[in-house]
Amino acid sequence: MRRLQEEFARLRRTQRQRSLELPRGIDFTSNDYLGFSSHPALVSAVRDALDETGSVGAAGSRLLRGHQPGHAALETFAAAFFGCDKALYFSTGFLANYALFTTLVGRHDAIIFDELIHASAKEGIHAAHARRFKVRHNDIDAFAAAVQRAKQAGAQQVWLAVESVYSMDGDVAPVEALIALAHAEDAMLIVDEAHATGVFGASGRGVGDGRHGDPRVISLHTCGKALGAAGGLVCACGPVIDYLISAARPFIYSTAPPAFLAFAVRRALALITEEPWRRHDLLQLSALARAKLAAVPGAVVPDTAASQIIPVLLGTEARALTVAGALRTAGFDVRAIRPPTVPPGTARLRISLSVERTEAEVEALAEALARALAADKAA
Ligand SMILES: Cc1ncc(COP(=O)(O)O)c(C=O)c1O
């Protein structure tokens, strides 16, 4: 207890302590990009599923009695939707990421990963016991050079790991070039489409739209963001999914996600096709928001940001907390993102757009940000 208290005191001193805060004000924070979490079609899909199955919990792991028709139907639908051989539904995206690296990567392999990859991938990468190569963010040449180093070091299999849209920077990975590199070098690419599924790609399948069936690509589509529900779908060729079912410990030794969630995710995937206007309007609003926020005096919005996630860099933890607090007081739900979630010295606001927001709300947010930055400068 004493160690925990000291550690917590250190977090407070460095303004890195975290606390729970209920949603309040206009949502510029959640990942409900398409407004699906409260979409009537998803709500009725869950109601119908509960009526049909008559059960709330799966009451067992997938390999025991927890595997239900709703899971099977989702996985068949998802494989067809993403154009891959097979799909596997995990209870969270975090667990899916962890399972991918700890199950598929052997100790004589090498993992080359982007320095800004999500914590869930990092946990898996560190637990995988393979050789690790961390490379400069979104730098395809750095990936190519690391592949050579990994091969010289005798790696049996080289794995490349990226996010397609980065969760805290809102920029987009060179997925096509990475797929080409994987083919040229006999490597495998794991691409986390968490913030792109439903939003990016010609048909809303993510940045790798049309490439999820490539045998060198394994993609992760989390279901708690644009899809409005919960869980994580892994898409891959048959042998990868078959092996995960037999060997992925987070899949095997955990109660199956409730089947009603699988119904909701299936409905959400269908809605991506039925209501394409949502992602089109979202991307249009995002471009407007990026321009408006970047024009605010003193606001640093990297010009690499190219999605519905807009970082406003503030540097120190204290500044990020003050400005986020002022925005919340003004009625906007905006949170400060601090290290270790982002690198030291890059504490920021993470403005996240939903299609449910309006241009007027974006303009009001930009005005409130201008006031908050001016007040912070004067203080
Ligand atoms: C890039 C990325 N991958 C994976 C996850 C984990 O997904 P889930 O929230 O479903 O556990 C997140 C969630 O924050 C994420 O941002």
Side-chain angles (χ1 to χ4, degrees):
M1 278 310 282
R2 181 125 166 227
R3 187 181 59 74
L4 297 189
Q5 280 163 347
E6 282 168 10
E7 183 59 19
F8 189 66
R10 189 186 64 78
L11 289 174
R12 285 178 74 95
R13 262 198 320 280
T14 53
Q15 299 200 293
R16 290 187 183 181
Q17 88 281 8
R18 309 197 184 197
S19 55
L20 295 169
E21 240 179 272
L22 292 170
R24 185 163 53 94
I26 302 170
D27 174 16
F28 279 102
T29 282
S30 81
N31 300 316
D32 191 14
Y33 304 128
L34 300 176
F36 278 5
S37 77
S38 55
H39 194 296
L42 258 71
V43 175
S44 29
V46 169
R47 285 212 180 95
D48 293 349
L50 288 171
D51 288 344
E52 194 181 315
T53 63
S55 62
V56 174
S61 72
R62 287 288 297 282
L63 289 174
L64 300 175
R65 252 182 98 83
H67 180 55
Q68 294 173 1
H71 300 117
L74 167 62
E75 287 165 349
T76 305
F77 190 92
F81 181 84
F82 290 108
C84 56
D85 271 4
K86 288 188 181 177
L88 191 63
Y89 183 47
F90 285 77
S91 42
T92 71
F94 191 107
L95 280 182
N97 244 339
Y98 188 81
L100 284 177
F101 293 101
T102 53
T103 312
L104 302 178
V105 178
R107 60 174 61 241
H108 301 296
D109 294 353
I111 312 174
I112 300 169
F113 63 100
D114 190 286
E115 62 184 341
L116 295 188
I117 203 162
H118 191 255
S120 55
K122 274 194 190 140
E123 288 296 318
I125 290 168
H126 282 266
H129 302 300
R131 223 167 146 158
R132 299 190 293 268
F133 296 81
K134 179 161 80 172
V135 300
R136 232 172 66 148
H137 179 53
N138 266 351
D139 184 341
I140 187 70
D141 294 333
F143 271 92
V147 171
Q148 298 316 320
R149 290 207 307 280
K151 286 187 163 175
Q152 277 152 21
Q156 268 178 6
Q157 172 68 57
V158 175
W159 300 81
L160 312 173
V162 297
E163 269 167 67
S164 59
V165 168
Y166 280 84
S167 61
M168 296 299 149
D169 292 75
D171 53 357
V172 180
V175 172
E176 208 44 59
L178 286 158
I179 295 175
L181 180 64
H183 276 276
E185 299 292 349
D186 204 17
M188 292 291 292
L189 172 67
I190 296 181
V191 55
D192 181 348
E193 296 260 30
H195 298 277
T197 306
V199 177
F200 275 75
S203 60
R205 268 86 167 149
V207 176
D209 202 328
R211 306 304 303 272
H212 298 121
D214 188 302
R216 299 215 157 266
V217 174
I218 297 171
S219 58
L220 169 61
H221 305 269
T222 62
C223 310
K225 306 186 194 301
L227 298 183
L233 283 163
V234 170
C235 290
C237 60
V240 165
I241 299 294
D242 293 345
Y243 186 65
L244 286 171
I245 292 171
S246 287
R249 296 169 73 81
F251 179 80
I252 298 169
Y253 298 106
S254 186
T255 299
F260 68 78
L261 277 176
F263 279 77
V265 174
R266 182 152 57 105
R267 193 67 194 90
L269 292 177
L271 273 180
I272 289 173
T273 308
E274 287 165 29
E275 299 184 353
W277 61 267
R278 285 180 183 267
R279 66 174 181 279
H280 298 146
D281 286 6
L282 171 65
L283 290 175
Q284 221 176 328
L285 186 68
S286 303
L288 174 107
R290 286 197 302 274
K292 289 255 174 246
L293 293 168
V296 169
V300 178
V301 177
D303 56 12
T304 46
S307 70
Q308 74 282 10
I309 299 165
I310 307 170
V312 179
L313 299 185
L314 292 166
T316 63
E317 286 83 342
R319 202 162 169 239
L321 286 169
T322 305
V323 176
L327 289 175
R328 284 207 299 287
T329 304
F332 302 94
D333 196 346
V334 172
R335 312 285 171 111
I337 308 289
R338 292 162 287 158
T341 304
V342 292
T346 72
R348 66 193 66 185
L349 308 176
R350 173 187 185 267
I351 312 275
S352 171
L353 272 284
S354 161
V355 69
E356 309 226 294
R357 298 284 67 79
T358 62
E359 285 187 25
E361 286 169 334
V362 167
E363 267 160 34
L365 172 71
E367 282 161 20
L369 177 64
R371 285 194 300 275
L373 288 176
D376 179 63
K377 198 170 168 198

